[in-house]
Amino acid sequence: MSQPTTDTRTALIVGASRGLGCAMAAELADRGWSVIGTVRGSARTPLHDLADRHRERIRVEHLDITQPEELAPLHERLAGQQLDVLFVNAGTTNNEQTPIGAVPTQDFVDVMVTNALSPLRAIEALDDLVTPTGLIGVMSSGQGSITNNTNGLREVYRGSKAALNMFMRSYATRQTSADRSLLLLAPGWIRTALGGDDAPYTVEESTPLLVDVLLSHLGGKGLAFLDRNGQPVPW
């Protein structure tokens, strides 16, 4: 794990209850950041355990990203808080082997709402809390690259991440007066609940790389679509 610094900046990670989101919260806290992480529902999560160990660094908030009526109350609870980073980590999948024409409509809607629509709703509801030179990012995927799709499969998931990328691009074009850096981050295939046990990368080895990429673009300008090593991913 990377060495902590004396940095006292603040990050909001939407979707930090477990997996990569929770690991990124822990990594940022270890580097001296204050972290606000959101969880769904009232059940105890690994983020709660992490917050108990880092009471001075990590705060837990509640948000179901698919419920837009929860965004305004979260914004109100965070009123007056300046964020250096707003990062949205949202992802679900289904029908991984099903050709797109055979995917049930509700299954399609569920993935698109979670992976594509809801992250942008969250960003547009909370972006005024981000400092003018801060960073707004989302967890994308290399499978959202149209250029790199050479074998199909996971078609709903691929489509949702491609849509997420497009929506972020549209959002970026509307930020004519802001200096913020915007980031689509493709973490690679990682052993999480979403990635499964066959994935080649662990959360532990991946998280410092992802945070390095995130922080390297803090203070920059414009939109980038980057992998875990900071290399551009083709759209």
Side-chain angles (χ1 to χ4, degrees), residues 24-36:
M24 290 177 71
E27 179 73 14
L28 284 167
D30 284 344
R31 299 190 189 201
W33 280 61
S34 295
V35 181
I36 305 164

Side-chain angles (χ1 to χ4, degrees), residues 83-125:
L83 304 174
D84 297 284
V85 168
L86 166 59
F87 189 80
V88 182
N89 175 48
T92 190
T93 189
N94 59 36
N95 293 280
E96 294 191 0
Q97 307 301 317
T98 307
I100 189 63
V103 172
T105 299
Q106 190 57 52
D107 289 356
F108 176 85
V109 170
D110 289 344
V111 174
M112 292 296 289
V113 167
T114 299
N115 292 4
L117 175 60
S118 295
L120 269 296
R121 277 178 169 164
I123 287 170
E124 298 205 13

Side-chain angles (χ1 to χ4, degrees), residues 173-192:
T173 66
R174 291 186 270 117
Q175 309 310 301
T176 55
S177 61
D179 292 332
R180 298 187 187 113
S181 176
L182 305 176
L183 180 63
L184 290 156
L185 188 56
W189 188 11
I190 300 174
R191 273 172 248 158
T192 61

Side-chain angles (χ1 to χ4, degrees), residues 126-162:
L126 302 170
D127 62 1
D128 66 307
L129 300 175
V130 182
T131 62
T133 56
L135 180 145
I136 297 173
V138 292
M139 192 71 81
S140 185
S141 171
Q143 294 192 46
S145 167
I146 294 174
T147 300
N148 285 348
N149 183 4
T150 59
N151 63 345
L153 303 177
R154 307 192 78 190
E155 293 177 23
V156 181
Y157 181 80
R158 286 181 185 274
S160 71
K161 290 298 186 177

Side-chain angles (χ1 to χ4, degrees), residues 4-75:
T5 72
T6 58
D7 204 324
T8 56
R9 290 175 290 186
T10 300
L12 170 60
I13 301 180
V14 176
S17 60
R18 56 181 54 82
L20 273 179
C22 187
M24 290 177 71
E27 179 73 14
L28 284 167
D30 284 344
R31 299 190 189 201
W33 280 61
S34 295
V35 181
I36 305 164
T38 72
V39 302
R40 292 185 299 169
S42 57
R44 189 170 181 85
T45 72
L47 182 66
H48 290 90
D49 297 333
L50 185 66
D52 285 347
R53 298 194 298 271
H54 299 275
R55 292 183 183 275
E56 76 287 359
R57 291 289 184 193
I58 295 178
R59 166 182 166 187
V60 179
E61 282 286 352
H62 291 85
L63 175 69
D64 183 339
I65 198 173
T66 66
Q67 302 300 314
E69 67 274 11
E70 295 188 12
L71 288 166
L74 176 62
H75 187 282

